[in-house]
Amino acid sequence: MAVKIPQVQRIDRSDVNAIIQAIIQDGCCVIKNFTDAATIQRANAEVQPYLEADKPWKGDLFPPETRRCTNLAGRSPTVRETFLVDPLVRALTATFIDKTTSNFYGETKHTYTSEAICSIAMTFDIGPGAQAQRLHRDDKNYHVDHADQSADGYRVGSDVMMAFMVPGVRTTVENGATIAIPGSHLWGSDRAPRLDEAVAAELDVTDCWVMLGGLYHAGGANVTATERRIVHGMFFSRGFLRQEENVYLANAPEEVLSWSPAAQRVMGYGLSSPNIGFVGFQTPVQYLRGEAVEAFGDFDPSQEQRVGKENVISV
């Protein structure tokens, strides 16, 4: 008996409750009519110079055919003032990522809410010939231990991050649309994902892909000869997953460079494995030194290298 693989739900942005229920059930969905074509054209134009200037990647995190625009909020006013602050995005991050707790301050009980923040915003431009990523969970950066929720259903609040991907062009199976396993946000940490469980989340230009950090997914392979798949990504995390004191603004670069390497690391100028804390794909200290970089590579040298061609969906 064949196993039925869940399909990605596609829901209009006006039906917020249905979007929330889809995320609870599947860990993801496609939001229809998220934006309009003119807004996408503006965002694409704003990031294009940075994509063209990007350096190649020598590692497993991205295919070498990928170009990126980091610091997307600073470089694209359209993304910053339209997508990042979209009321629907805020409603979803408030539902799934905000954290509210109550504590006594003396004998008075206080309630505090830490609102979600954008942990990283980046445009991905995947060119012809790019292999697919391996299936993965984005919240690996936060070292989440996933409990199996398959029997009792999803517990809202158990994820610490979620992502929104707005396509700059129509994404298809052929040009590398995201592949995902609906329902895998319910899996425990010991269950490995399989490619035959994944489906493609093709997107029209006005759509938006939303997923929880615990969902297994991957960027698909671009098997076209000429098409480039451009996607504007915004990744939100719990607001308290950062240092309490913002030492980065409190200390001048030349002061930080005079510190010992041990002091730099303990004050957050290093990287948390695998990918937390970079600046334009450099370590903070490399950035402060103004070091020239010819090519970027994976931050964690312990990550095993890809063997063969994985995560390719036949078309």
Side-chain angles (χ1 to χ4, degrees):
M1 179 177 172
V3 176
K4 184 177 180 180
I5 299 175
Q7 298 300 302
V8 174
Q9 298 188 57
R10 300 173 180 271
I11 304 169
D12 191 85
R13 70 165 291 149
S14 62
D15 198 343
V16 179
N17 288 334
I19 293 171
I20 290 173
Q21 288 305 309
I23 296 172
I24 290 173
Q25 175 182 314
D26 297 332
C28 60
C29 78
V30 173
I31 302 172
K32 302 296 294 180
N33 298 309
F34 177 77
T35 186
D36 58 81
T39 302
I40 291 295
Q41 290 176 358
R42 289 198 305 272
N44 288 350
E46 289 164 355
V47 303
Q48 189 60 34
Y50 302 100
L51 294 174
E52 293 175 355
D54 190 31
K55 293 181 173 64
W57 190 273
K58 293 183 179 179
D60 191 63
L61 186 60
F62 298 109
E65 297 83 2
T66 299
R67 304 184 302 187
R68 298 150 295 269
C69 173
T70 57
N71 187 23
L72 184 56
R75 291 170 167 173
S76 171
T78 299
V79 170
R80 181 182 65 246
E81 304 298 341
T82 305
F83 301 154
L84 278 171
V85 298
D86 188 293
L88 176 58
V89 171
R90 177 65 196 123
L92 296 177
T93 58
T95 300
F96 291 98
I97 306 302
D98 284 12
K99 180 72 171 180
T100 299
T101 54
S102 296
N103 292 275
F104 282 95
Y105 196 60
E107 296 184 2
T108 305
K109 193 172 188 179
H110 292 263
T111 298
Y112 308 97
T113 296
S114 176
E115 295 188 355
I117 59 170
C118 182
S119 176
I120 180 174
M122 182 187 308
T123 298
F124 307 89
D125 179 356
I126 295 87
Q131 291 189 46
Q133 292 179 310
R134 291 186 249 192
L135 288 164
H136 63 279
R137 283 170 157 162
D138 278 348
D139 63 10
K140 65 184 183 300
N141 285 334
Y142 300 106
H143 296 261
V144 177
D145 291 317
H146 284 273
D148 191 335
Q149 303 181 66
S150 302
D152 298 328
Y154 181 68
R155 179 171 58 84
V156 174
S158 57
D159 273 85
V160 302
M161 67 161 294
M162 68 189 308
F164 299 81
M165 308 289 280
V166 182
V169 298
R170 186 172 187 275
T171 72
T172 65
V173 171
E174 291 82 5
N175 69 17
T178 296
I179 60 174
I181 306 178
S184 60
H185 65 308
L186 302 173
W187 297 357
S189 295
D190 294 333
R191 179 171 174 179
R194 300 195 318 270
L195 185 58
D196 62 2
E197 300 172 291
V199 294
E202 295 183 304
L203 299 174
D204 291 324
V205 169
T206 57
D207 291 344
C208 176
W209 164 253
V210 56
M211 64 179 173
L212 295 171
L215 184 84
Y216 277 107
H217 71 286
N222 187 337
V223 299
T224 70
T226 59
E227 294 182 32
R228 303 197 67 90
R229 180 174 68 92
I230 300 172
V231 179
H232 307 291
M234 299 164 288
F235 303 80
F236 292 80
S237 66
R238 292 241 165 106
F240 57 81
L241 293 176
R242 51 179 166 168
Q243 285 161 282
E244 185 172 350
E245 181 181 18
N246 195 325
V247 297
Y248 315 113
L249 296 181
N251 296 280
E254 58 272 16
E255 294 173 345
V256 175
L257 290 174
S258 72
W259 299 353
S260 68
Q264 291 169 345
R265 285 194 300 271
V266 77
M267 290 308 300
Y269 289 87
L271 297 178
S272 171
S273 179
N275 301 312
I276 292 291
F278 66 83
V279 186
F281 295 119
Q282 290 179 283
T283 68
V285 172
Q286 286 177 321
Y287 176 81
L288 292 178
R289 289 174 179 160
E291 295 182 5
V293 177
E294 295 301 322
F296 299 114
D298 295 345
F299 298 118
D300 191 336
S302 69
Q303 181 167 279
E304 77 279 7
Q305 297 300 303
R306 181 193 300 266
V307 178
K309 293 185 177 181
E310 301 177 56
N311 289 0
V312 177
I313 290 183
S314 59
V315 296

